[in-house]
Structures are given as structure tokens and as C-alpha cells.
mmCIF file with all atom_site columns, all heavy atoms in Angstrom:
data_model
loop_
_atom_site.group_PDB
_atom_site.id
_atom_site.type_symbol
_atom_site.label_atom_id
_atom_site.label_alt_id
_atom_site.label_comp_id
_atom_site.label_asym_id
_atom_site.label_entity_id
_atom_site.label_seq_id
_atom_site.pdbx_PDB_ins_code
_atom_site.Cartn_x
_atom_site.Cartn_y
_atom_site.Cartn_z
_atom_site.occupancy
_atom_site.B_iso_or_equiv
_atom_site.pdbx_formal_charge
_atom_site.auth_seq_id
_atom_site.auth_comp_id
_atom_site.auth_asym_id
_atom_site.auth_atom_id
_atom_site.pdbx_PDB_model_num
ATOM 1   N N   . ARG C 1 1  ? 0.907  -1.209 -0.051 1.00 98.00 ? 1  ARG C N   1
ATOM 2   C CA  . ARG C 1 1  ? -0.018 -0.027 -0.019 1.00 98.00 ? 1  ARG C CA  1
ATOM 3   C C   . ARG C 1 1  ? 0.839  1.262  0.002  1.00 98.00 ? 1  ARG C C   1
ATOM 4   O O   . ARG C 1 1  ? 2.022  1.208  0.331  1.00 98.00 ? 1  ARG C O   1
ATOM 5   C CB  . ARG C 1 1  ? -0.970 -0.038 1.204  1.00 98.00 ? 1  ARG C CB  1
ATOM 6   C CG  . ARG C 1 1  ? -1.859 -1.208 1.095  1.00 98.00 ? 1  ARG C CG  1
ATOM 7   C CD  . ARG C 1 1  ? -2.804 -1.351 2.280  1.00 98.00 ? 1  ARG C CD  1
ATOM 8   N NE  . ARG C 1 1  ? -3.810 -0.360 2.276  1.00 98.00 ? 1  ARG C NE  1
ATOM 9   C CZ  . ARG C 1 1  ? -4.645 -0.217 3.328  1.00 98.00 ? 1  ARG C CZ  1
ATOM 10  N NH1 . ARG C 1 1  ? -4.648 -0.965 4.342  1.00 98.00 ? 1  ARG C NH1 1
ATOM 11  N NH2 . ARG C 1 1  ? -5.572 0.708  3.237  1.00 98.00 ? 1  ARG C NH2 1
ATOM 12  N N   . ALA C 1 2  ? 0.271  2.394  -0.364 1.00 98.00 ? 2  ALA C N   1
ATOM 13  C CA  . ALA C 1 2  ? 0.945  3.669  -0.387 1.00 98.00 ? 2  ALA C CA  1
ATOM 14  C C   . ALA C 1 2  ? 0.801  4.377  0.834  1.00 98.00 ? 2  ALA C C   1
ATOM 15  O O   . ALA C 1 2  ? -0.299 4.587  1.381  1.00 98.00 ? 2  ALA C O   1
ATOM 16  C CB  . ALA C 1 2  ? 0.413  4.509  -1.582 1.00 98.00 ? 2  ALA C CB  1
ATOM 17  N N   . ILE C 1 3  ? 1.862  4.836  1.461  1.00 98.00 ? 3  ILE C N   1
ATOM 18  C CA  . ILE C 1 3  ? 1.885  5.606  2.651  1.00 98.00 ? 3  ILE C CA  1
ATOM 19  C C   . ILE C 1 3  ? 2.589  6.939  2.478  1.00 98.00 ? 3  ILE C C   1
ATOM 20  O O   . ILE C 1 3  ? 3.636  7.001  1.843  1.00 98.00 ? 3  ILE C O   1
ATOM 21  C CB  . ILE C 1 3  ? 2.701  4.813  3.782  1.00 98.00 ? 3  ILE C CB  1
ATOM 22  C CG1 . ILE C 1 3  ? 2.162  3.440  3.919  1.00 98.00 ? 3  ILE C CG1 1
ATOM 23  C CG2 . ILE C 1 3  ? 2.783  5.598  5.079  1.00 98.00 ? 3  ILE C CG2 1
ATOM 24  C CD1 . ILE C 1 3  ? 3.087  2.455  4.531  1.00 98.00 ? 3  ILE C CD1 1
ATOM 25  N N   . ARG C 1 4  ? 1.959  7.944  2.990  1.00 98.00 ? 4  ARG C N   1
ATOM 26  C CA  . ARG C 1 4  ? 2.609  9.325  3.058  1.00 98.00 ? 4  ARG C CA  1
ATOM 27  C C   . ARG C 1 4  ? 2.826  9.705  4.431  1.00 98.00 ? 4  ARG C C   1
ATOM 28  O O   . ARG C 1 4  ? 1.937  9.576  5.356  1.00 98.00 ? 4  ARG C O   1
ATOM 29  C CB  . ARG C 1 4  ? 1.740  10.304 2.342  1.00 98.00 ? 4  ARG C CB  1
ATOM 30  C CG  . ARG C 1 4  ? 1.753  10.187 0.800  1.00 98.00 ? 4  ARG C CG  1
ATOM 31  C CD  . ARG C 1 4  ? 0.802  11.179 0.136  1.00 98.00 ? 4  ARG C CD  1
ATOM 32  N NE  . ARG C 1 4  ? 1.080  12.544 0.398  1.00 98.00 ? 4  ARG C NE  1
ATOM 33  C CZ  . ARG C 1 4  ? 0.142  13.461 0.172  1.00 98.00 ? 4  ARG C CZ  1
ATOM 34  N NH1 . ARG C 1 4  ? -1.070 13.081 -0.333 1.00 98.00 ? 4  ARG C NH1 1
ATOM 35  N NH2 . ARG C 1 4  ? 0.365  14.707 0.395  1.00 98.00 ? 4  ARG C NH2 1
ATOM 36  N N   . THR C 1 5  ? 4.076  10.186 4.710  1.00 98.00 ? 5  THR C N   1
ATOM 37  C CA  . THR C 1 5  ? 4.418  10.682 6.032  1.00 98.00 ? 5  THR C CA  1
ATOM 38  C C   . THR C 1 5  ? 4.781  12.089 5.999  1.00 98.00 ? 5  THR C C   1
ATOM 39  O O   . THR C 1 5  ? 4.907  12.688 4.830  1.00 98.00 ? 5  THR C O   1
ATOM 40  C CB  . THR C 1 5  ? 5.602  9.888  6.704  1.00 98.00 ? 5  THR C CB  1
ATOM 41  O OG1 . THR C 1 5  ? 6.725  10.175 5.888  1.00 98.00 ? 5  THR C OG1 1
ATOM 42  C CG2 . THR C 1 5  ? 5.380  8.316  6.604  1.00 98.00 ? 5  THR C CG2 1
ATOM 43  N N   . VAL C 1 6  ? 5.035  12.694 7.093  1.00 98.00 ? 6  VAL C N   1
ATOM 44  C CA  . VAL C 1 6  ? 5.414  14.158 7.099  1.00 98.00 ? 6  VAL C CA  1
ATOM 45  C C   . VAL C 1 6  ? 6.592  14.421 6.293  1.00 98.00 ? 6  VAL C C   1
ATOM 46  O O   . VAL C 1 6  ? 6.735  15.470 5.744  1.00 98.00 ? 6  VAL C O   1
ATOM 47  C CB  . VAL C 1 6  ? 5.486  14.615 8.539  1.00 98.00 ? 6  VAL C CB  1
ATOM 48  C CG1 . VAL C 1 6  ? 6.701  14.087 9.229  1.00 98.00 ? 6  VAL C CG1 1
ATOM 49  C CG2 . VAL C 1 6  ? 5.423  16.155 8.596  1.00 98.00 ? 6  VAL C CG2 1
ATOM 50  N N   . GLU C 1 7  ? 7.572  13.394 6.209  1.00 98.00 ? 7  GLU C N   1
ATOM 51  C CA  . GLU C 1 7  ? 8.726  13.587 5.510  1.00 98.00 ? 7  GLU C CA  1
ATOM 52  C C   . GLU C 1 7  ? 8.431  13.756 3.978  1.00 98.00 ? 7  GLU C C   1
ATOM 53  O O   . GLU C 1 7  ? 9.307  14.369 3.318  1.00 98.00 ? 7  GLU C O   1
ATOM 54  C CB  . GLU C 1 7  ? 9.759  12.387 5.651  1.00 98.00 ? 7  GLU C CB  1
ATOM 55  C CG  . GLU C 1 7  ? 10.386 12.330 6.976  1.00 98.00 ? 7  GLU C CG  1
ATOM 56  C CD  . GLU C 1 7  ? 9.568  11.520 7.964  1.00 98.00 ? 7  GLU C CD  1
ATOM 57  O OE1 . GLU C 1 7  ? 8.364  11.147 7.690  1.00 98.00 ? 7  GLU C OE1 1
ATOM 58  O OE2 . GLU C 1 7  ? 10.055 11.075 9.085  1.00 98.00 ? 7  GLU C OE2 1
ATOM 59  N N   . GLY C 1 8  ? 7.306  13.341 3.548  1.00 97.00 ? 8  GLY C N   1
ATOM 60  C CA  . GLY C 1 8  ? 6.973  13.464 2.051  1.00 97.00 ? 8  GLY C CA  1
ATOM 61  C C   . GLY C 1 8  ? 6.192  14.669 1.697  1.00 97.00 ? 8  GLY C C   1
ATOM 62  O O   . GLY C 1 8  ? 5.802  14.794 0.552  1.00 97.00 ? 8  GLY C O   1
ATOM 63  N N   . LEU C 1 9  ? 6.062  15.646 2.619  1.00 98.00 ? 9  LEU C N   1
ATOM 64  C CA  . LEU C 1 9  ? 5.271  16.840 2.362  1.00 98.00 ? 9  LEU C CA  1
ATOM 65  C C   . LEU C 1 9  ? 6.072  17.875 1.524  1.00 98.00 ? 9  LEU C C   1
ATOM 66  O O   . LEU C 1 9  ? 5.494  18.516 0.632  1.00 98.00 ? 9  LEU C O   1
ATOM 67  C CB  . LEU C 1 9  ? 4.658  17.411 3.583  1.00 98.00 ? 9  LEU C CB  1
ATOM 68  C CG  . LEU C 1 9  ? 3.603  16.619 4.277  1.00 98.00 ? 9  LEU C CG  1
ATOM 69  C CD1 . LEU C 1 9  ? 3.083  17.395 5.488  1.00 98.00 ? 9  LEU C CD1 1
ATOM 70  C CD2 . LEU C 1 9  ? 2.441  16.280 3.291  1.00 98.00 ? 9  LEU C CD2 1
ATOM 71  N N   . ALA C 1 10 ? 7.335  18.124 1.888  1.00 96.00 ? 10 ALA C N   1
ATOM 72  C CA  . ALA C 1 10 ? 8.115  19.101 1.232  1.00 96.00 ? 10 ALA C CA  1
ATOM 73  C C   . ALA C 1 10 ? 8.538  18.659 -0.084 1.00 96.00 ? 10 ALA C C   1
ATOM 74  O O   . ALA C 1 10 ? 8.606  17.437 -0.425 1.00 96.00 ? 10 ALA C O   1
ATOM 75  C CB  . ALA C 1 10 ? 9.365  19.485 2.181  1.00 96.00 ? 10 ALA C CB  1
ATOM 76  N N   . ALA C 1 11 ? 8.859  19.600 -0.980 1.00 95.00 ? 11 ALA C N   1
ATOM 77  C CA  . ALA C 1 11 ? 9.352  19.267 -2.338 1.00 95.00 ? 11 ALA C CA  1
ATOM 78  C C   . ALA C 1 11 ? 10.784 18.607 -2.148 1.00 95.00 ? 11 ALA C C   1
ATOM 79  O O   . ALA C 1 11 ? 11.388 18.780 -1.093 1.00 95.00 ? 11 ALA C O   1
ATOM 80  C CB  . ALA C 1 11 ? 9.483  20.536 -3.144 1.00 95.00 ? 11 ALA C CB  1
ATOM 81  N N   . PRO C 1 12 ? 11.208 17.874 -3.198 1.00 93.00 ? 12 PRO C N   1
ATOM 82  C CA  . PRO C 1 12 ? 12.532 17.199 -3.022 1.00 93.00 ? 12 PRO C CA  1
ATOM 83  C C   . PRO C 1 12 ? 13.641 18.147 -2.708 1.00 93.00 ? 12 PRO C C   1
ATOM 84  O O   . PRO C 1 12 ? 14.621 17.743 -2.086 1.00 93.00 ? 12 PRO C O   1
ATOM 85  C CB  . PRO C 1 12 ? 12.694 16.561 -4.463 1.00 93.00 ? 12 PRO C CB  1
ATOM 86  C CG  . PRO C 1 12 ? 11.285 16.313 -4.904 1.00 93.00 ? 12 PRO C CG  1
ATOM 87  C CD  . PRO C 1 12 ? 10.544 17.469 -4.385 1.00 93.00 ? 12 PRO C CD  1
ATOM 88  N N   . ASP C 1 13 ? 13.574 19.345 -3.191 1.00 95.00 ? 13 ASP C N   1
ATOM 89  C CA  . ASP C 1 13 ? 14.603 20.362 -2.867 1.00 95.00 ? 13 ASP C CA  1
ATOM 90  C C   . ASP C 1 13 ? 14.516 21.000 -1.489 1.00 95.00 ? 13 ASP C C   1
ATOM 91  O O   . ASP C 1 13 ? 15.222 21.906 -1.104 1.00 95.00 ? 13 ASP C O   1
ATOM 92  C CB  . ASP C 1 13 ? 14.580 21.530 -3.969 1.00 95.00 ? 13 ASP C CB  1
ATOM 93  C CG  . ASP C 1 13 ? 13.409 22.360 -3.847 1.00 95.00 ? 13 ASP C CG  1
ATOM 94  O OD1 . ASP C 1 13 ? 12.536 22.179 -3.100 1.00 95.00 ? 13 ASP C OD1 1
ATOM 95  O OD2 . ASP C 1 13 ? 13.442 23.336 -4.676 1.00 95.00 ? 13 ASP C OD2 1
ATOM 96  N N   . GLY C 1 14 ? 13.514 20.542 -0.652 1.00 94.00 ? 14 GLY C N   1
ATOM 97  C CA  . GLY C 1 14 ? 13.305 21.028 0.694  1.00 94.00 ? 14 GLY C CA  1
ATOM 98  C C   . GLY C 1 14 ? 12.358 22.186 0.797  1.00 94.00 ? 14 GLY C C   1
ATOM 99  O O   . GLY C 1 14 ? 12.121 22.673 1.897  1.00 94.00 ? 14 GLY C O   1
ATOM 100 N N   . THR C 1 15 ? 11.814 22.721 -0.363 1.00 97.00 ? 15 THR C N   1
ATOM 101 C CA  . THR C 1 15 ? 10.819 23.798 -0.282 1.00 97.00 ? 15 THR C CA  1
ATOM 102 C C   . THR C 1 15 ? 9.615  23.301 0.467  1.00 97.00 ? 15 THR C C   1
ATOM 103 O O   . THR C 1 15 ? 9.003  22.292 0.083  1.00 97.00 ? 15 THR C O   1
ATOM 104 C CB  . THR C 1 15 ? 10.461 24.253 -1.737 1.00 97.00 ? 15 THR C CB  1
ATOM 105 O OG1 . THR C 1 15 ? 11.661 24.617 -2.386 1.00 97.00 ? 15 THR C OG1 1
ATOM 106 C CG2 . THR C 1 15 ? 9.457  25.389 -1.670 1.00 97.00 ? 15 THR C CG2 1
ATOM 107 N N   . LEU C 1 16 ? 9.249  24.044 1.410  1.00 97.00 ? 16 LEU C N   1
ATOM 108 C CA  . LEU C 1 16 ? 7.989  23.662 2.174  1.00 97.00 ? 16 LEU C CA  1
ATOM 109 C C   . LEU C 1 16 ? 6.722  23.831 1.342  1.00 97.00 ? 16 LEU C C   1
ATOM 110 O O   . LEU C 1 16 ? 6.619  24.738 0.488  1.00 97.00 ? 16 LEU C O   1
ATOM 111 C CB  . LEU C 1 16 ? 7.893  24.621 3.410  1.00 97.00 ? 16 LEU C CB  1
ATOM 112 C CG  . LEU C 1 16 ? 9.000  24.578 4.434  1.00 97.00 ? 16 LEU C CG  1
ATOM 113 C CD1 . LEU C 1 16 ? 8.744  25.557 5.635  1.00 97.00 ? 16 LEU C CD1 1
ATOM 114 C CD2 . LEU C 1 16 ? 9.272  23.149 4.992  1.00 97.00 ? 16 LEU C CD2 1
ATOM 115 N N   . ASN C 1 17 ? 5.784  22.905 1.562  1.00 97.00 ? 17 ASN C N   1
ATOM 116 C CA  . ASN C 1 17 ? 4.488  23.035 0.915  1.00 97.00 ? 17 ASN C CA  1
ATOM 117 C C   . ASN C 1 17 ? 3.686  24.113 1.581  1.00 97.00 ? 17 ASN C C   1
ATOM 118 O O   . ASN C 1 17 ? 4.047  24.651 2.654  1.00 97.00 ? 17 ASN C O   1
ATOM 119 C CB  . ASN C 1 17 ? 3.771  21.754 0.799  1.00 97.00 ? 17 ASN C CB  1
ATOM 120 C CG  . ASN C 1 17 ? 3.104  21.264 2.030  1.00 97.00 ? 17 ASN C CG  1
ATOM 121 O OD1 . ASN C 1 17 ? 2.979  21.976 3.066  1.00 97.00 ? 17 ASN C OD1 1
ATOM 122 N ND2 . ASN C 1 17 ? 2.727  20.006 2.020  1.00 97.00 ? 17 ASN C ND2 1
ATOM 123 N N   . PRO C 1 18 ? 2.561  24.625 1.039  1.00 98.00 ? 18 PRO C N   1
ATOM 124 C CA  . PRO C 1 18 ? 1.800  25.705 1.613  1.00 98.00 ? 18 PRO C CA  1
ATOM 125 C C   . PRO C 1 18 ? 1.393  25.496 3.073  1.00 98.00 ? 18 PRO C C   1
ATOM 126 O O   . PRO C 1 18 ? 1.345  26.312 3.877  1.00 98.00 ? 18 PRO C O   1
ATOM 127 C CB  . PRO C 1 18 ? 0.594  25.819 0.706  1.00 98.00 ? 18 PRO C CB  1
ATOM 128 C CG  . PRO C 1 18 ? 1.076  25.389 -0.636 1.00 98.00 ? 18 PRO C CG  1
ATOM 129 C CD  . PRO C 1 18 ? 2.005  24.187 -0.256 1.00 98.00 ? 18 PRO C CD  1
ATOM 130 N N   . LEU C 1 19 ? 1.029  24.256 3.412  1.00 98.00 ? 19 LEU C N   1
ATOM 131 C CA  . LEU C 1 19 ? 0.588  23.878 4.782  1.00 98.00 ? 19 LEU C CA  1
ATOM 132 C C   . LEU C 1 19 ? 1.771  24.026 5.748  1.00 98.00 ? 19 LEU C C   1
ATOM 133 O O   . LEU C 1 19 ? 1.720  24.644 6.815  1.00 98.00 ? 19 LEU C O   1
ATOM 134 C CB  . LEU C 1 19 ? -0.026 22.572 4.872  1.00 98.00 ? 19 LEU C CB  1
ATOM 135 C CG  . LEU C 1 19 ? -0.564 22.073 6.165  1.00 98.00 ? 19 LEU C CG  1
ATOM 136 C CD1 . LEU C 1 19 ? -1.723 23.075 6.647  1.00 98.00 ? 19 LEU C CD1 1
ATOM 137 C CD2 . LEU C 1 19 ? -1.145 20.679 6.082  1.00 98.00 ? 19 LEU C CD2 1
ATOM 138 N N   . GLN C 1 20 ? 2.944  23.447 5.382  1.00 98.00 ? 20 GLN C N   1
ATOM 139 C CA  . GLN C 1 20 ? 4.075  23.544 6.216  1.00 98.00 ? 20 GLN C CA  1
ATOM 140 C C   . GLN C 1 20 ? 4.502  25.066 6.411  1.00 98.00 ? 20 GLN C C   1
ATOM 141 O O   . GLN C 1 20 ? 4.843  25.469 7.492  1.00 98.00 ? 20 GLN C O   1
ATOM 142 C CB  . GLN C 1 20 ? 5.291  22.745 5.648  1.00 98.00 ? 20 GLN C CB  1
ATOM 143 C CG  . GLN C 1 20 ? 5.069  21.282 5.620  1.00 98.00 ? 20 GLN C CG  1
ATOM 144 C CD  . GLN C 1 20 ? 6.165  20.611 4.788  1.00 98.00 ? 20 GLN C CD  1
ATOM 145 O OE1 . GLN C 1 20 ? 6.316  20.851 3.690  1.00 98.00 ? 20 GLN C OE1 1
ATOM 146 N NE2 . GLN C 1 20 ? 6.915  19.676 5.491  1.00 98.00 ? 20 GLN C NE2 1
ATOM 147 N N   . ARG C 1 21 ? 4.479  25.757 5.290  1.00 98.00 ? 21 ARG C N   1
ATOM 148 C CA  . ARG C 1 21 ? 4.832  27.166 5.335  1.00 98.00 ? 21 ARG C CA  1
ATOM 149 C C   . ARG C 1 21 ? 3.869  27.964 6.248  1.00 98.00 ? 21 ARG C C   1
ATOM 150 O O   . ARG C 1 21 ? 4.344  28.774 7.007  1.00 98.00 ? 21 ARG C O   1
ATOM 151 C CB  . ARG C 1 21 ? 4.914  27.744 3.904  1.00 98.00 ? 21 ARG C CB  1
ATOM 152 C CG  . ARG C 1 21 ? 5.552  29.110 3.801  1.00 98.00 ? 21 ARG C CG  1
ATOM 153 C CD  . ARG C 1 21 ? 5.690  29.523 2.409  1.00 98.00 ? 21 ARG C CD  1
ATOM 154 N NE  . ARG C 1 21 ? 4.516  29.527 1.568  1.00 98.00 ? 21 ARG C NE  1
ATOM 155 C CZ  . ARG C 1 21 ? 4.178  28.668 0.648  1.00 98.00 ? 21 ARG C CZ  1
ATOM 156 N NH1 . ARG C 1 21 ? 5.082  27.695 0.370  1.00 98.00 ? 21 ARG C NH1 1
ATOM 157 N NH2 . ARG C 1 21 ? 3.125  28.728 -0.076 1.00 98.00 ? 21 ARG C NH2 1
ATOM 158 N N   . ALA C 1 22 ? 2.561  27.610 6.212  1.00 98.00 ? 22 ALA C N   1
ATOM 159 C CA  . ALA C 1 22 ? 1.628  28.289 6.975  1.00 98.00 ? 22 ALA C CA  1
ATOM 160 C C   . ALA C 1 22 ? 1.829  28.036 8.485  1.00 98.00 ? 22 ALA C C   1
ATOM 161 O O   . ALA C 1 22 ? 1.736  28.909 9.425  1.00 98.00 ? 22 ALA C O   1
ATOM 162 C CB  . ALA C 1 22 ? 0.211  27.912 6.675  1.00 98.00 ? 22 ALA C CB  1
ATOM 163 N N   . PHE C 1 23 ? 2.246  26.823 8.848  1.00 97.00 ? 23 PHE C N   1
ATOM 164 C CA  . PHE C 1 23 ? 2.615  26.435 10.214 1.00 97.00 ? 23 PHE C CA  1
ATOM 165 C C   . PHE C 1 23 ? 3.729  27.273 10.657 1.00 97.00 ? 23 PHE C C   1
ATOM 166 O O   . PHE C 1 23 ? 3.760  27.786 11.782 1.00 97.00 ? 23 PHE C O   1
ATOM 167 C CB  . PHE C 1 23 ? 2.895  24.959 10.393 1.00 97.00 ? 23 PHE C CB  1
ATOM 168 C CG  . PHE C 1 23 ? 1.681  24.147 10.836 1.00 97.00 ? 23 PHE C CG  1
ATOM 169 C CD1 . PHE C 1 23 ? 0.592  23.912 10.008 1.00 97.00 ? 23 PHE C CD1 1
ATOM 170 C CD2 . PHE C 1 23 ? 1.715  23.542 12.089 1.00 97.00 ? 23 PHE C CD2 1
ATOM 171 C CE1 . PHE C 1 23 ? -0.506 23.156 10.444 1.00 97.00 ? 23 PHE C CE1 1
ATOM 172 C CE2 . PHE C 1 23 ? 0.600  22.837 12.518 1.00 97.00 ? 23 PHE C CE2 1
ATOM 173 C CZ  . PHE C 1 23 ? -0.462 22.649 11.700 1.00 97.00 ? 23 PHE C CZ  1
ATOM 174 N N   . TRP C 1 24 ? 4.792  27.456 9.832  1.00 97.00 ? 24 TRP C N   1
ATOM 175 C CA  . TRP C 1 24 ? 5.927  28.222 10.140 1.00 97.00 ? 24 TRP C CA  1
ATOM 176 C C   . TRP C 1 24 ? 5.596  29.702 10.376 1.00 97.00 ? 24 TRP C C   1
ATOM 177 O O   . TRP C 1 24 ? 5.934  30.264 11.350 1.00 97.00 ? 24 TRP C O   1
ATOM 178 C CB  . TRP C 1 24 ? 6.952  28.040 8.981  1.00 97.00 ? 24 TRP C CB  1
ATOM 179 C CG  . TRP C 1 24 ? 8.227  28.911 9.126  1.00 97.00 ? 24 TRP C CG  1
ATOM 180 C CD1 . TRP C 1 24 ? 8.418  30.144 8.729  1.00 97.00 ? 24 TRP C CD1 1
ATOM 181 C CD2 . TRP C 1 24 ? 9.386  28.510 9.911  1.00 97.00 ? 24 TRP C CD2 1
ATOM 182 N NE1 . TRP C 1 24 ? 9.618  30.553 9.088  1.00 97.00 ? 24 TRP C NE1 1
ATOM 183 C CE2 . TRP C 1 24 ? 10.291 29.627 9.789  1.00 97.00 ? 24 TRP C CE2 1
ATOM 184 C CE3 . TRP C 1 24 ? 9.776  27.452 10.584 1.00 97.00 ? 24 TRP C CE3 1
ATOM 185 C CZ2 . TRP C 1 24 ? 11.571 29.613 10.341 1.00 97.00 ? 24 TRP C CZ2 1
ATOM 186 C CZ3 . TRP C 1 24 ? 11.060 27.369 11.137 1.00 97.00 ? 24 TRP C CZ3 1
ATOM 187 C CH2 . TRP C 1 24 ? 11.910 28.505 10.998 1.00 97.00 ? 24 TRP C CH2 1
ATOM 188 N N   . GLU C 1 25 ? 4.818  30.256 9.384  1.00 97.00 ? 25 GLU C N   1
ATOM 189 C CA  . GLU C 1 25 ? 4.503  31.637 9.369  1.00 97.00 ? 25 GLU C CA  1
ATOM 190 C C   . GLU C 1 25 ? 3.566  32.113 10.542 1.00 97.00 ? 25 GLU C C   1
ATOM 191 O O   . GLU C 1 25 ? 3.571  33.178 10.991 1.00 97.00 ? 25 GLU C O   1
ATOM 192 C CB  . GLU C 1 25 ? 3.976  32.112 8.086  1.00 97.00 ? 25 GLU C CB  1
ATOM 193 C CG  . GLU C 1 25 ? 5.064  32.055 6.932  1.00 97.00 ? 25 GLU C CG  1
ATOM 194 C CD  . GLU C 1 25 ? 4.490  32.240 5.555  1.00 97.00 ? 25 GLU C CD  1
ATOM 195 O OE1 . GLU C 1 25 ? 3.218  32.291 5.354  1.00 97.00 ? 25 GLU C OE1 1
ATOM 196 O OE2 . GLU C 1 25 ? 5.328  32.354 4.597  1.00 97.00 ? 25 GLU C OE2 1
ATOM 197 N N   . ASN C 1 26 ? 2.669  31.105 10.946 1.00 97.00 ? 26 ASN C N   1
ATOM 198 C CA  . ASN C 1 26 ? 1.674  31.408 11.874 1.00 97.00 ? 26 ASN C CA  1
ATOM 199 C C   . ASN C 1 26 ? 1.883  30.805 13.259 1.00 97.00 ? 26 ASN C C   1
ATOM 200 O O   . ASN C 1 26 ? 1.024  30.682 14.059 1.00 97.00 ? 26 ASN C O   1
ATOM 201 C CB  . ASN C 1 26 ? 0.279  30.927 11.379 1.00 97.00 ? 26 ASN C CB  1
ATOM 202 C CG  . ASN C 1 26 ? -0.168 31.749 10.173 1.00 97.00 ? 26 ASN C CG  1
ATOM 203 O OD1 . ASN C 1 26 ? -0.647 32.933 10.345 1.00 97.00 ? 26 ASN C OD1 1
ATOM 204 N ND2 . ASN C 1 26 ? 0.005  31.192 8.929  1.00 97.00 ? 26 ASN C ND2 1
ATOM 205 N N   . HIS C 1 27 ? 3.168  30.355 13.454 1.00 95.00 ? 27 HIS C N   1
ATOM 206 C CA  . HIS C 1 27 ? 3.547  29.797 14.760 1.00 95.00 ? 27 HIS C CA  1
ATOM 207 C C   . HIS C 1 27 ? 2.688  28.649 15.197 1.00 95.00 ? 27 HIS C C   1
ATOM 208 O O   . HIS C 1 27 ? 2.221  28.634 16.337 1.00 95.00 ? 27 HIS C O   1
ATOM 209 C CB  . HIS C 1 27 ? 3.690  30.886 15.829 1.00 95.00 ? 27 HIS C CB  1
ATOM 210 C CG  . HIS C 1 27 ? 4.463  32.086 15.359 1.00 95.00 ? 27 HIS C CG  1
ATOM 211 N ND1 . HIS C 1 27 ? 5.776  32.101 15.213 1.00 95.00 ? 27 HIS C ND1 1
ATOM 212 C CD2 . HIS C 1 27 ? 3.991  33.284 14.967 1.00 95.00 ? 27 HIS C CD2 1
ATOM 213 C CE1 . HIS C 1 27 ? 6.187  33.264 14.806 1.00 95.00 ? 27 HIS C CE1 1
ATOM 214 N NE2 . HIS C 1 27 ? 5.128  34.042 14.627 1.00 95.00 ? 27 HIS C NE2 1
ATOM 215 N N   . GLY C 1 28 ? 2.328  27.746 14.278 1.00 95.00 ? 28 GLY C N   1
ATOM 216 C CA  . GLY C 1 28 ? 1.473  26.634 14.505 1.00 95.00 ? 28 GLY C CA  1
ATOM 217 C C   . GLY C 1 28 ? 2.052  25.459 15.291 1.00 95.00 ? 28 GLY C C   1
ATOM 218 O O   . GLY C 1 28 ? 1.520  24.398 15.321 1.00 95.00 ? 28 GLY C O   1
ATOM 219 N N   . LEU C 1 29 ? 3.263  25.731 15.910 1.00 91.00 ? 29 LEU C N   1
ATOM 220 C CA  . LEU C 1 29 ? 3.833  24.670 16.683 1.00 91.00 ? 29 LEU C CA  1
ATOM 221 C C   . LEU C 1 29 ? 4.611  25.330 17.791 1.00 91.00 ? 29 LEU C C   1
ATOM 222 O O   . LEU C 1 29 ? 4.976  26.506 17.750 1.00 91.00 ? 29 LEU C O   1
ATOM 223 C CB  . LEU C 1 29 ? 4.841  23.855 15.804 1.00 91.00 ? 29 LEU C CB  1
ATOM 224 C CG  . LEU C 1 29 ? 5.875  24.579 15.129 1.00 91.00 ? 29 LEU C CG  1
ATOM 225 C CD1 . LEU C 1 29 ? 7.238  24.397 15.784 1.00 91.00 ? 29 LEU C CD1 1
ATOM 226 C CD2 . LEU C 1 29 ? 5.954  24.180 13.644 1.00 91.00 ? 29 LEU C CD2 1
#
């Protein structure tokens, strides 16, 4: 089966996806 984990969210070059970027910019952690 196909599994996606948090490690698979960013682009291969490390660019954050919109959700990751929003967590960073809005202090979601």
C-alpha cells in the first residue's frame, strides 16, 4: 500500500509546501 508521512510533504529540494509554510509563518507549533 501507499503511505505518506510528514517527510513526504516538502518538495525534493526542501521547499515547504503551503501547509508547512503556514505552520511556520503562523507559529502553529
